[in-house]
Amino acid sequence: MAMVAQQHRESSSGSITKHLDSSGKYVRYTAEQVEALERVYAECPKPSSLRRQQLIRECPILSNIEPKQIKVWFQNRRCREKQRKESSRLQTVNRKLSAMNKLLMEENDRLQKQVSQLVCENGFMRQQLHTASAATTDVSCESVVTTPQHSLRDANNPAGLLSIAEETLAEFLSKATGTAVDWVPMPGMKPGPDSVGIFAISHSCSGVAARACGLVSLEPTKIAEILKDRPSWFRDCRNVEVFTMFSAGNGTIELLYTQIYAPTTLAPARDFWTLRYTTTLENGSFVVCERSLSGTGAGPNAASASQFVRAQMLPSGYLIRPCDGGGSIIHIVDHLNLEAWSAPEILRPLYESSKVVAQKMTIAALRYARQIAQETSGEVVYGLGRQPAVLRTFSQRLSRGFNDAINGFSDDGWSLLSSDGGEDVIVAVNSRKNIATTSVPLSPLGGILCAKASMLLQNVPPVVLVRFLREHRSEWADFNVDAYVASSMKSCSYAYPGMRPTRFTGSQIIMPLGHTIEHEEMLEVIRLEGHSIGQEDTFMPRDVHLLQMCSGTDENAVGACSELVFAAIDGMFPDDAPLLPSGFRIIPLESKSSDPQDTSNAHRTLDLASSLEVGPATNPATGDVVSGYSARSVLTIAFQFPFEDNLQDNVATMARQYVRSVVSSVQRVAMAISPAGVNSTFGSKLSPGSPEAVTLSHWICQSYSYHMGTELLQTDSRGDESVLKNLWQHQDAILCCSLKSLPVFIFANKAGLDMLETTLVALQDITLDKIFDESGRKVLFAEFPKIMEQGFAYLPGGICMSAMGRHISYEQAIAWKVFASEETVHCLAFSFINWSFV
C-alpha cells in the first residue's frame, strides 16, 4: 500500500511527467525538461533530427534522454495539440448548435402562439358572421401593434420620457420575442450551423420591419456598445447626435437626431428624431430600444435639416441575452416608416420593402457584431499585414465618401454647377471640404468636383453587372482619367488631361486585402499596369493603384444592393491616405404588384430611365428569363475629380463627358449581359418579305409617330404587307442598327441600301461607325444621350460614306428609338433626308 501511495504521489506531482515511447514504455521527464521541450515546440513544433540532436547538446538537462524518445515526445505533443484544437472546435460548434436550437424552439413557440391566436380570431369571426344582430365586427384581436404618436409635450419632463421609454420597451419586446408582428422567413436565408442567424421580415404591418436572431461570441455590454455606434456598421447612416442623456428608472434615456443618406440622386435623404432607452431586465438581459418622437425638432442645423424628409422609427432595438458557455444571443428588430410618398413613384418600392431594411440594417448589424467577435478572437487574417480595424476604417471611408458625393449636402460645402443644356449628368462642386474626412487637404486653392447620374436598368441582374464592371475595367474606364486623379492625389499636381480616351495596354492585377465573414464585402488593391500617355504627360505614373470595395455579389441575397466603389491611392498604401471615392451602386426595385407585367410607366419617371429599357419583364415568346428573373434596378454613378480653381471649368467639362462615356459603356454592357438579350426576338437575317421584317416595319413607324408626333408614312393603310411596302419605297434612306457594344445595321429600305451601295445580306456586316466621318461621329456621340433619354434627336447635315467608299451628303438626319413594346427598346432607326452622292 505504501508503494502504491508513493507511485500515486509521483504521478500526480508537477515535477515529473510520464510519456510513452515507441516501445510502449513510460519515459519520465522532469518539469525542467518539459519546460525546455515546450520552448522548442513553441518555435518549431516539428524539429528535424539535426535540430533534436542540437537540442540535446545545448540543454544538459536532456542529456539522459535519447533522440528517439525526444522525437516521440514531439509526436505526442503535436497529437495533444491537435486533439485540443478539435475539442475546442467541437465545443464551439456544439455551443452554437445549442443556441440555434434554443432560438428555433422559441420561434416554434411563437408560431404556435400565433396559430392559436389566429384560430381564436377565426372562431370569433365565424361567431360574428352567424350572429345577425351584430352591428359591427370586433377586431380587437389584431396581431399588428400600432404605435401611438408622442408629442414633445410628453418629453418636457423626465417622468414623461420614462413613461414613453417603458412603453417603447414593452412594444419592442413584443416584436422581438412575441407575436406583435406577423413575421415570415427572409427569402434565401436558411438557419443552420454555418449561418449568421435566423432572419424574418414583416408580412403585413404598418411600415416595414425586419428581425434577426443570432449568436455572437461577445459580452452583452460590448455588443450593445458596438450596435449603438450606428455609423460604424450602418453604411447609410450619416450622423447620430445625442442631444440629451440622463438616468431614468433602471437605465439611461437619450434623445437622438439621426441623418440617413439617400441611396440615389433621385430621392431626398431621411432623418429621425428618436428616444433611445438602454436598460437591464430582471433575467440579466441587456436591452437597447428606440422609437420616434413626434414634433419638429430640426436637429443641430435647421438649414441642413431642410434637405431631409422626416421619417419615423416605430419601436425597434436590440435584446441581448447572456448565453450559457459564453457569448450572447442577440434579437434585433428594425421597424420603420420611411415616408415613401416623398420618393419618385418608381423608387417607392425601395422604401416599402422589408427585404431592403433587413439587408441594409438588421442583417448588417448582426454580421458586423460577429465580424468584430471573430477579429477579437484572432480568427480573421488579412492581407498585406494590415490590422482589421484599419481595413474597416478604409471601407467605411470609401462608403461614406461615395455617399457624400451622391447626396451633395450643402452643409458639407457642395453646390450645383449650371448645366450645359443636358439634364443627364449632375455636376456639383465643393471648394472647402477635405477629401473623405481625412486631415490631409489637397491644395488650399483647390476643391472637389463630382459628376453623377442615375438611370433605370431592366432585366439586368445587379450582381452580374457589378462582377463584370469589377473584372473588366477596360470595358468602361479611361486610363487617362484614372492616372490624372491618381497623380493629383499623390503630388497635388492638377495638370488637366483633356479627353483623349486611352484604354489599358497592361493588365489589371487584383490584390485581396480582406473580406467580411460571408464574403458580402471585399476590400482589395487594384494595380493598373498602364503607360505614360505622352512625353508631355510625364507627371503620370506608369502604374495606377486603386483601393476598391466590392459588395452585394451574393446572388441569393434578396433585397441587397450591389456596389463597386474605388479611389486612387498611393502605392505605399499609408493608413492616413486621402481618398476620393467614385463608383457604381445598383439597387434592386421590388414591385409591390404581383403582376409581372406591371411596369408603372418607368421610363417616364427617371432622368435616364429610357436609356436602359432593354428588355420586358417577361417575354411572351421566351417566357420568364433566368428562372423567373424579371426585375428593375436603379444604377447610380458618381465620379469625383480634384481641381485647382483656375481649372474648374475645364475639369467640369471633362467630368461631364467622361461620365457620359461611362454611362454609354455601361449601357452596352447591360444590354450585352441582359438575360433577355437585346434582339432575342429576331434572327440575324431580315429579308424584305419575312414576317420579322413586317413586324419591324410596324415598330419603326409606330415609334416614329410616338416620338415625333407625326406619321412617317403618308398612308391610311394598316395592312401588314402595305406598311412594309410603303416603308421599303420611302424616298428617304431609313436604316436600323442594333443596340450592341458594336452597333451593326440589321435592316434598311431600298433608298437606304442604295445610299450605302449594299444589299440586305451584306448590310449586316456594316457597323454604324463606318458610315460616319469624324465630325459625324462626334455629333452622334454628343447627341446619343439625348436620343436615349428623349427618344429621338435631329442631326445636322453632313457627310457619310457608302460601303464602296463613296461620299454621301445629306441635308438632315433623324434618329429615334424603336420600341418592340411599351417597355422594350429593339434598335435605333435613322432617316437620312435629301441625300445624294458627292
Side-chain angles (χ1 to χ4, degrees):
M1 291 294 292
M3 184 179 295
V4 173
Q6 176 67 22
Q7 291 177 350
H8 177 73
R9 284 193 296 270
E10 290 180 355
S11 62
S12 60
S13 67
S15 60
I16 297 178
T17 304
K18 293 182 178 181
H19 289 266
L20 285 171
D21 64 8
S22 58
S23 61
K25 297 180 179 179
Y26 280 106
V27 178
R28 295 186 177 184
Y29 296 89
T30 65
E32 292 78 9
Q33 291 174 332
V34 172
E35 183 180 354
L37 292 172
E38 287 286 355
R39 283 199 302 269
V40 176
Y41 181 83
E43 299 174 359
C44 180
K46 194 174 183 179
S48 63
S49 58
L50 293 177
R51 181 70 181 90
R52 293 193 299 270
Q53 293 174 4
Q54 181 184 2
L55 174 63
I56 294 175
R57 290 194 301 269
E58 293 177 351
C59 298
I61 60 175
L62 299 177
S63 58
N64 64 329
I65 303 178
E66 297 179 1
K68 186 176 181 181
Q69 294 173 338
I70 293 181
K71 177 181 179 180
V72 172
W73 185 92
F74 276 96
Q75 290 175 345
N76 293 338
R77 181 66 177 82
R78 290 195 299 271
C79 183
R80 291 198 308 274
E81 180 71 15
K82 184 177 180 180
Q83 291 175 347
R84 186 190 64 79
K85 289 182 178 179
E86 180 66 13
S87 176
S88 176
R89 188 188 70 83
L90 291 176
Q91 288 177 2
T92 301
V93 172
N94 182 64
R95 188 170 67 252
K96 184 174 181 179
L97 289 174
S98 298
M100 295 291 290
N101 180 62
K102 185 176 181 180
L103 289 176
L104 289 173
M105 291 176 64
E106 291 177 352
E107 181 70 5
N108 184 56
D109 291 341
R110 184 192 69 82
L111 292 174
Q112 288 181 353
K113 292 178 181 178
Q114 190 170 1
V115 168
S116 300
Q117 184 175 354
L118 291 173
V119 170
C120 176
E121 292 178 6
N122 185 49
F124 177 80
M125 295 301 295
R126 285 176 179 271
Q127 181 179 2
Q128 290 294 97
L129 289 174
H130 286 84
T131 305
S133 60
T136 59
T137 302
D138 185 359
V139 293
S140 60
C141 292
E142 278 203 28
S143 63
V144 176
V145 174
T146 58
T147 305
Q149 292 289 318
H150 297 275
S151 67
L152 290 179
R153 184 182 64 240
D154 300 329
N156 286 335
N157 58 80
L161 288 175
L162 180 58
S163 175
I164 298 173
E166 291 175 344
E167 184 179 339
T168 302
L169 174 63
E171 292 189 31
F172 160 68
L173 292 176
S174 68
K175 297 175 184 179
T177 59
T179 58
V181 172
D182 184 9
W183 299 109
V184 296
M186 176 74 178
M189 294 288 185
K190 297 181 179 180
D194 296 325
S195 67
V196 176
I198 303 173
F199 307 102
I201 57 176
S202 59
H203 175 62
S204 176
C205 72
S206 174
V208 288
R211 188 178 73 168
C213 304
L215 175 66
V216 177
S217 302
L218 292 173
E219 295 301 315
T221 53
K222 178 63 175 177
I223 295 173
E225 178 185 341
I226 291 171
L227 296 181
K228 289 173 73 172
D229 184 15
R230 188 171 285 141
S232 67
W233 56 266
F234 183 25
R235 294 297 173 82
D236 285 354
C237 183
R238 183 194 186 207
N239 182 47
V240 176
E241 182 164 346
V242 180
F243 273 82
T244 305
M245 180 173 64
F246 59 90
S247 299
N250 191 32
T252 303
I253 292 178
E254 301 165 284
L255 298 184
L256 308 179
Y257 175 68
T258 305
Q259 294 178 340
I260 306 298
Y261 289 109
T264 78
T265 62
L266 302 171
R270 266 57 178 169
D271 66 354
F272 299 87
W273 180 257
T274 59
L275 176 147
R276 184 166 68 188
Y277 183 39
T278 303
T279 186
T280 303
L281 303 182
E282 293 181 357
N283 61 3
S285 298
F286 206 83
V287 178
V288 181
C289 56
E290 190 173 351
R291 81 168 334 140
S292 284
L293 295 173
S294 64
T296 58
N301 188 326
S304 171
S306 65
Q307 302 174 83
F308 294 84
V309 171
R310 178 59 48 82
Q312 182 185 8
M313 179 182 294
L314 288 77
S316 307
Y318 320 110
L319 169 62
I320 310 169
R321 300 186 298 174
C323 184
D324 296 339
S328 306
I329 296 177
I330 310 177
H331 298 257
I332 303 175
V333 173
D334 291 302
H335 195 174
L336 307 172
N337 180 359
L338 295 173
E339 304 296 342
W341 58 268
S342 63
E345 184 178 354
I346 190 64
L347 290 182
R348 289 177 189 173
L350 181 62
Y351 297 91
E352 297 170 340
S353 172
S354 295
K355 298 173 186 175
V356 174
V357 172
Q359 289 288 354
K360 285 194 170 187
M361 295 186 66
T362 319
I363 298 175
L366 184 55
R367 280 175 170 165
Y368 184 80
R370 289 200 62 197
Q371 182 78 22
I372 298 298
Q374 290 195 2
E375 291 175 1
T376 303
S377 65
E379 298 178 38
V380 181
V381 179
Y382 287 96
L384 302 184
R386 296 287 170 168
Q387 293 297 320
V390 174
L391 296 182
R392 272 192 282 107
T393 300
F394 271 118
S395 295
Q396 291 164 4
R397 287 175 56 195
L398 283 173
S399 180
R400 186 176 186 83
F402 187 58
N403 275 320
D404 282 335
I406 291 174
N407 286 260
F409 294 116
S410 59
D411 56 327
D412 280 340
W414 290 99
S415 60
L416 295 180
L417 290 183
S418 58
S419 173
D420 63 350
E423 300 298 331
D424 53 338
V425 176
I426 302 171
V427 178
V429 63
N430 192 329
S431 300
R432 65 179 176 85
K433 183 184 179 185
N434 291 337
I435 292 180
T437 69
T438 180
S439 60
V440 183
L442 282 185
S443 168
L445 301 178
I448 304 170
L449 188 141
C450 178
K452 47 195 174 183
S454 294
M455 64 202 70
L456 180 71
L457 300 179
Q458 186 158 319
N459 261 4
V460 180
V463 171
V464 178
L465 180 55
V466 162
R467 285 178 180 171
F468 186 94
L469 296 174
R470 172 180 175 264
E471 297 170 2
H472 304 278
R473 187 178 181 85
S474 61
E475 292 296 324
W476 56 268
D478 184 348
F479 180 81
N480 194 6
V481 174
D482 286 322
Y484 160 71
V485 176
S487 178
S488 299
M489 299 289 289
K490 181 177 180 181
S491 61
C492 296
S493 174
Y494 294 82
Y496 173 59
M499 277 303 294
R500 298 185 301 278
T502 305
R503 297 299 180 186
F504 301 111
T505 58
S507 60
Q508 170 180 290
I509 300 176
I510 300 178
M511 297 175 283
L513 289 176
H515 55 78
T516 49
I517 54 178
E518 290 195 335
H519 295 259
E520 70 274 6
E521 181 179 291
M522 298 176 291
L523 190 67
E524 53 203 14
V525 171
I526 310 298
R527 189 173 82 229
L528 306 176
E529 296 181 332
H531 63 87
S532 294
I533 308 303
Q535 203 162 17
E536 72 279 7
D537 296 325
T538 54
F539 70 91
M540 292 187 179
R542 180 174 180 81
D543 292 344
V544 173
H545 291 85
L546 304 173
L547 180 65
Q548 181 167 278
M549 178 182 66
C550 183
S551 61
T553 56
D554 183 4
E555 296 178 357
N556 297 320
V558 180
C561 75
S562 301
E563 287 185 338
L564 183 69
V565 181
F566 52 88
I569 194 169
D570 187 89
M572 299 302 294
F573 192 15
D575 291 350
D576 61 346
L579 299 178
L580 202 61
S582 301
F584 309 86
R585 172 179 292 160
I586 311 175
I587 310 172
L589 297 175
E590 178 191 0
S591 175
K592 293 188 70 176
S593 172
S594 59
D595 181 7
Q597 301 293 339
D598 180 18
T599 53
S600 304
N601 296 323
H603 66 287
R604 297 181 179 88
T605 306
L606 300 181
D607 290 341
L608 290 181
S610 60
S611 65
L612 287 177
E613 292 163 355
V614 297
T618 57
N619 191 327
T622 60
D624 293 341
V625 295
V626 189
S627 302
Y629 181 86
S630 174
R632 295 174 180 174
S633 54
V634 173
L635 168 65
T636 299
I637 301 174
F639 281 79
Q640 298 192 73
F641 305 89
F643 68 89
E644 282 184 343
D645 287 344
N646 61 331
L647 294 175
Q648 177 177 318
D649 293 340
N650 290 338
V651 175
T653 301
M654 181 267 287
R656 281 193 181 96
Q657 294 179 4
Y658 182 57
V659 169
R660 283 170 180 162
S661 70
V662 172
V663 168
S664 179
S665 299
V666 174
Q667 287 173 351
R668 293 194 300 268
V669 170
M671 288 185 288
I673 67 177
S674 172
V678 180
N679 297 310
S680 59
T681 309
F682 293 93
S684 59
K685 303 296 182 182
L686 289 175
S687 60
S690 66
E692 293 85 355
V694 172
T695 304
L696 180 58
S697 65
H698 276 281
W699 290 349
I700 293 172
C701 297
Q702 291 172 359
S703 300
Y704 184 95
S705 302
Y706 174 79
H707 294 304
M708 311 299 294
T710 183
E711 298 291 332
L712 176 64
L713 302 177
Q714 301 300 323
T715 176
D716 294 329
S717 175
R718 289 295 180 266
D720 290 345
E721 299 293 339
S722 62
V723 172
L724 176 59
K725 181 179 180 181
N726 290 326
L727 182 67
W728 179 258
Q729 296 176 350
H730 198 279
Q731 61 181 359
D732 297 331
I734 298 175
L735 303 95
C736 297
C737 72
S738 62
L739 288 174
K740 295 182 178 179
S741 57
L742 189 62
V744 297
F745 289 103
I746 60 174
F747 182 77
N749 66 351
K750 186 177 184 302
L753 296 177
D754 292 340
M755 185 185 80
L756 294 183
E757 295 183 296
T758 187
T759 64
L760 271 176
V761 175
L763 172 72
Q764 298 174 52
D765 294 326
I766 302 175
T767 58
L768 178 62
D769 63 313
K770 287 184 179 180
I771 73 168
F772 288 100
D773 60 6
E774 184 176 356
S775 62
R777 284 193 291 269
K778 288 182 178 178
V779 171
L780 180 60
F781 177 79
E783 293 293 329
F784 188 77
K786 182 178 179 181
I787 297 171
M788 301 309 293
E789 177 186 4
Q790 181 176 291
F792 72 96
Y794 290 95
L795 307 179
I799 301 295
C800 62
M801 188 175 297
S802 73
M804 305 301 293
R806 296 176 64 186
H807 289 84
I808 307 158
S809 67
Y810 56 94
E811 182 178 313
Q812 189 184 47
I814 304 173
W816 70 95
K817 290 192 297 186
V818 177
F819 288 96
S821 64
E822 184 182 358
E823 292 289 308
T824 310
V825 179
H826 177 63
C827 61
L828 286 181
F830 294 84
S831 176
F832 293 88
I833 301 171
N834 294 336
W835 64 273
S836 62
F837 291 106
V838 178

